[in-house]
Amino acid sequence: MKKYSLTAKSVFFLSILTTIGFLSGCNPKAPKSEKPESDSVMVENAVADTTIYGTCGEGTAMHSLELITDAGDTLQYMIGEDADGEQDVQGGLLVGDRLAVIEGGSLDGEKTAKKVINLTTLLGKWTSLDKNFEIMEGGVVKSNVKAESNPWTSWKILNGQLVLNKDTFDIDKLGTDSLYLESKQGIFTFKRP
């Protein structure tokens, strides 16, 4: 059997190769980024929620909103109108109701509310031809159709839009007995049972 002798130079070279191999083996590779399942996930991950939550205060009037925020601050907003003279207030304004407000900047030095969603009105049972669900406190949705393949189980407001699981909707109309949601797939109509 042939014997090999290691010189100082070859030991040094071998130790460098071992160190490089060790370091490259211990350096975890970053996981490959996967393409999001839908646009709503991308929006959810890329944009911070700017919604301000609170309770409708007693100083609320036809064109102004007093919001007592969850942090305890009292904010005053002017409620703007669109080109048709319509305000984007979904669900009405009733003192004591929980609201989600999306700010719209300022007008003549006063804050404006771009969109107001009455969360108290949004809560409760809603039905359509293929859906029967209840929007509950704490971001929970309860489906009342046992055979439904993809029932909604969670909800939240994100920058003025309603997110049900990963489905994102604009709230076109929210009343005491009707709810119109719009997405890329169309307009969905719900009513109280």
Side-chain angles (χ1 to χ4, degrees):
M1 189 167 187
K2 196 173 188 181
K3 289 189 177 183
Y4 294 98
S5 65
L6 296 175
T7 64
K9 204 180 227 182
S10 58
V11 169
F12 177 74
F13 181 68
L14 186 59
S15 67
I16 289 177
L17 285 176
T18 305
T19 303
I20 291 172
F22 177 75
L23 291 176
S24 65
C26 289
N27 188 7
K29 294 182 180 179
K32 291 181 181 179
S33 63
E34 295 179 11
K35 186 177 179 182
E37 291 179 19
S38 69
D39 291 340
S40 62
V41 174
M42 187 179 301
V43 169
E44 191 173 311
N45 292 334
V47 178
D49 186 17
T50 58
T51 308
I52 300 170
Y53 299 93
T55 305
C56 185
E58 292 181 7
T60 299
M62 185 178 229
H63 294 284
S64 63
L65 167 66
E66 180 182 77
L67 182 73
I68 296 113
T69 68
D70 290 348
D73 299 325
T74 301
L75 303 177
Q76 299 290 331
Y77 292 100
M78 294 300 297
I79 302 173
E81 296 178 348
D82 62 14
D84 298 328
E86 298 289 322
Q87 295 177 333
D88 198 355
V89 176
Q90 302 300 326
L93 296 174
L94 188 62
V95 174
D97 280 0
R98 184 146 173 77
L99 304 176
V101 176
I102 293 75
E103 291 185 343
S106 63
L107 179 66
D108 296 331
E110 296 187 45
K111 288 183 181 180
T112 61
K114 179 179 174 182
K115 184 170 195 153
V116 180
I117 302 167
N118 187 320
L119 301 177
T120 304
T121 304
L122 182 64
L123 296 177
K125 295 181 180 180
W126 297 101
T127 63
S128 69
L129 292 174
D130 62 340
K131 296 271 189 191
N132 184 344
F133 60 95
E134 183 176 1
I135 297 176
M136 303 168 69
E137 292 277 350
V140 176
V141 177
K142 178 183 171 190
S143 176
N144 297 317
V145 177
K146 301 296 179 204
E148 191 173 348
S149 59
N150 286 324
W152 291 321
T153 58
S154 65
W155 72 276
K156 68 179 174 180
I157 299 296
L158 180 68
N159 296 324
Q161 295 182 307
L162 176 62
V163 180
L164 293 163
N165 289 0
K166 293 183 180 180
D167 300 329
T168 302
F169 298 95
D170 286 319
I171 300 174
D172 285 347
K173 181 180 184 244
L174 171 61
T176 55
D177 61 353
S178 59
L179 173 64
Y180 297 101
L181 301 177
E182 185 174 358
S183 72
K184 292 177 184 177
Q185 286 75 35
I187 297 176
F188 301 89
T189 304
F190 302 95
K191 63 179 182 130
R192 298 282 187 190

